[in-house]
Amino acid sequence: MYWSSRRVDGRQLTFDPATRTAATLALDVAAGKVADLADRHPDYFPLYTDHGQWEHGKESWTNWCEGFLGGQMWIFYEVGLGEEWRTRAEHYSRLVEARQHDRDVHDLGFVLCPTWKKWSELGGGDDKKQIVIQGGRTMGLRFNRAGRYLRSFLAPDSNFIDIMMNVGIIAYAALETGDDELLAIAQAHCDTTRKYLVRGDGSVSHEGIFDIDTGQFLRQTTQQGWRDDSSWARGLAWSLYGFTSMYALTGQPHLLATAVANADYWLEHTAGSDPVPPNDFDEPAPIRRWESSAAACAAGGLIMLASLVDDDHRSQRYQAHAETTVQRLCQAEFLGVEPEWEGVLKHGSYHEQKSLGVDESVMWGDYFFVETLQRVVQP
């Protein structure tokens, strides 16, 4: 899984047989879609579909999804869908090897952890781990020491909540090498994000703006949400999953508390109704009804969190909501069972403000859906 390494052991979860059956069937559908993509467009890394088709000429905005295709392949191999998936996964991992030195994006965790980190964990050898460690060191170069945050790809004064999904590669590299200074960078970024982007009710801002010289926090804003003070659903899912992962990696209790606040806000706004949210929880008239990639990532985060919290009632609530979400996403309304639809998970959204990949399949949505399915069938 994306962050299978952990310093904190969690409880073993048992899933409802109906959820496991639905997840198993959905994994078969997903494997078929990915095999078709690799056969039809070899060595191609799509970002989002257009009318259900992966290949098109629309804008990508930034390169951050190249690890998710190989990552799905590793999962298909790990759950026993065939030895050929390992061969494919190794090939698609090699295609992103050079990204370990990429200083242009804040997403090296997304690129290298589903691929090279997974390869190292499945018997790939220490040389595979070194690719991930170098990626963590490269990612650490984004650190603004005055503001104590990792800058986004967009601008030096910008911190995205998305970076919580990637800061773990820095912590991983630090823990594997005993680099206390590198670990301090990861911890500082989490603390800054927690202080300025996570609100008191557990909702989050997409972006924080800082004075790059003094480090002073200036304001919350958004690139993808409805308003600067609203709650973009995928950003909340990133935060929930990211803070849970960092707690598992480091054991710092305040990171767990932040993840719990995120999870409680998520449940408050999705429990008792459709567990798949719109693009923004606060938007009064959403352009589209659903943003399925947020739900897929949140479900995986809730399963992780359910295994880590000490409170039995909370654990049961988080797991139950995650299972409800998985069962919903496995329905034909969301699962791309039609042959003409090339993606796995329908009704995702890339960038509503830019009208890119809206109500489509998105590569991270497919990946985190498949990863969540694996959490169910291999708890």
Side-chain angles (χ1 to χ4, degrees):
M1 298 174 193
Y2 185 63
W3 289 120
S4 51
S5 300
R6 58 172 53 188
R7 269 57 183 177
V8 178
D9 291 327
R11 69 179 77 194
Q12 184 75 20
L13 302 180
T14 302
F15 291 90
D16 184 275
T19 309
R20 289 174 58 87
T21 297
T24 300
L25 294 173
L27 277 169
D28 286 335
V29 171
K33 296 288 183 178
V34 172
D36 288 345
L37 170 59
D39 291 342
R40 189 179 296 114
H41 307 296
D43 299 352
Y44 173 59
F45 292 105
L47 184 62
Y48 58 90
T49 61
D50 182 39
H51 295 89
Q53 306 301 299
W54 284 120
E55 190 171 41
H56 53 80
K58 293 191 174 181
E59 181 185 357
S60 62
W61 199 37
T62 179
N63 297 322
W64 61 287
C65 287
E66 289 82 354
F68 294 140
L69 189 53
Q72 290 180 77
M73 294 172 176
W74 279 115
I75 290 172
F76 299 147
Y77 165 72
E78 198 170 13
V79 299
L81 295 185
E83 194 69 27
E84 71 275 9
W85 282 112
R86 183 181 185 108
T87 302
R88 286 170 164 166
E90 290 179 359
H91 173 73
Y92 275 83
S93 297
R94 289 190 182 97
L95 293 178
V96 299
E97 180 177 359
R99 298 293 297 278
Q100 64 184 297
H101 302 294
D102 186 350
R103 296 187 61 177
D104 292 332
V105 299
H106 58 246
D107 300 302
L108 292 185
F110 281 151
V111 175
L112 297 174
C113 292
T115 52
W116 288 88
K117 183 171 179 292
K118 177 58 66 177
W119 194 351
S120 74
E121 293 168 349
L122 294 176
D126 187 67
D127 58 325
K128 310 303 185 297
K129 181 189 295 186
Q130 295 306 314
I131 303 294
V132 188
I133 289 172
Q134 179 56 54
R137 289 170 173 157
T138 301
M139 179 88 176
L141 297 174
R142 308 188 70 80
F143 190 61
N144 179 298
R145 295 192 177 275
R148 296 172 60 79
Y149 66 91
L150 297 161
R151 58 156 293 186
S152 80
F153 83 95
L154 194 61
D157 62 354
S158 165
N159 172 18
F160 277 9
I161 195 66
D162 316 43
I163 299 173
M164 281 305 307
M165 293 291 287
N166 292 276
V167 65
I169 194 174
I170 301 177
Y172 174 80
L175 291 166
E176 289 295 322
T177 60
D179 189 333
D180 292 339
E181 183 177 355
L182 192 59
L183 183 59
I185 287 174
Q187 292 170 332
H189 176 80
C190 292
D191 292 344
T192 299
T193 301
R194 179 176 184 261
K195 183 174 182 178
Y196 294 116
L197 270 66
V198 181
R199 306 184 184 113
D201 62 357
S203 67
V204 301
S205 172
H206 180 200
E207 183 180 20
I209 302 297
F210 295 77
D211 184 301
I212 60 173
D213 296 319
T214 68
Q216 179 182 356
F217 173 71
L218 301 178
R219 65 185 183 278
Q220 292 183 351
T221 186
T222 188
Q223 298 294 322
Q224 299 210 47
W226 175 55
R227 286 190 331 197
D228 292 347
D229 62 345
S230 66
S231 184
W232 175 48
R234 191 162 78 245
L236 181 61
W238 288 158
S239 186
L240 162 59
Y241 191 114
F243 277 103
T244 301
S245 301
M246 282 298 294
Y247 169 70
L249 279 167
T250 67
Q252 295 182 323
H254 66 291
L255 303 181
L256 178 64
T258 306
V260 165
N262 293 155
D264 289 348
Y265 186 94
W266 185 277
L267 263 64
E268 179 184 349
H269 289 79
T270 55
S273 60
D274 195 326
V276 184
N279 187 63
D280 194 298
F281 286 111
D282 295 318
E283 188 172 0
I287 299 173
R288 295 288 185 271
R289 181 176 175 183
W290 297 300
E291 209 293 74
S292 61
S293 75
C297 183
L302 287 169
I303 290 171
M304 274 197 296
L305 190 55
S307 75
L308 293 169
V309 293
D310 291 331
D311 185 320
D312 290 343
H313 178 65
R314 262 210 168 92
S315 176
Q316 291 165 8
R317 285 179 61 232
Y318 295 161
Q319 181 182 345
H321 192 72
E323 290 201 50
T324 298
T325 305
V326 168
Q327 291 180 10
R328 180 75 171 111
L329 294 177
C330 288
Q331 294 174 357
E333 196 160 29
F334 289 94
L335 189 61
V337 293
E338 308 94 326
E340 65 273 14
W341 191 276
E342 293 182 352
V344 178
L345 188 63
K346 297 183 291 185
H347 303 304
S349 184
Y350 176 25
H351 204 306
E352 287 203 358
Q353 299 294 336
K354 290 178 173 286
S355 298
L356 299 174
V358 179
D359 200 25
E360 296 285 347
S361 291
V362 291
M363 187 50 68
W364 64 93
D366 284 7
Y367 172 79
F368 283 107
F369 179 51
V370 167
E371 188 200 74
T372 300
L373 296 176
Q374 182 188 19
R375 293 182 189 277
V376 172
V377 302
Q378 289 184 334

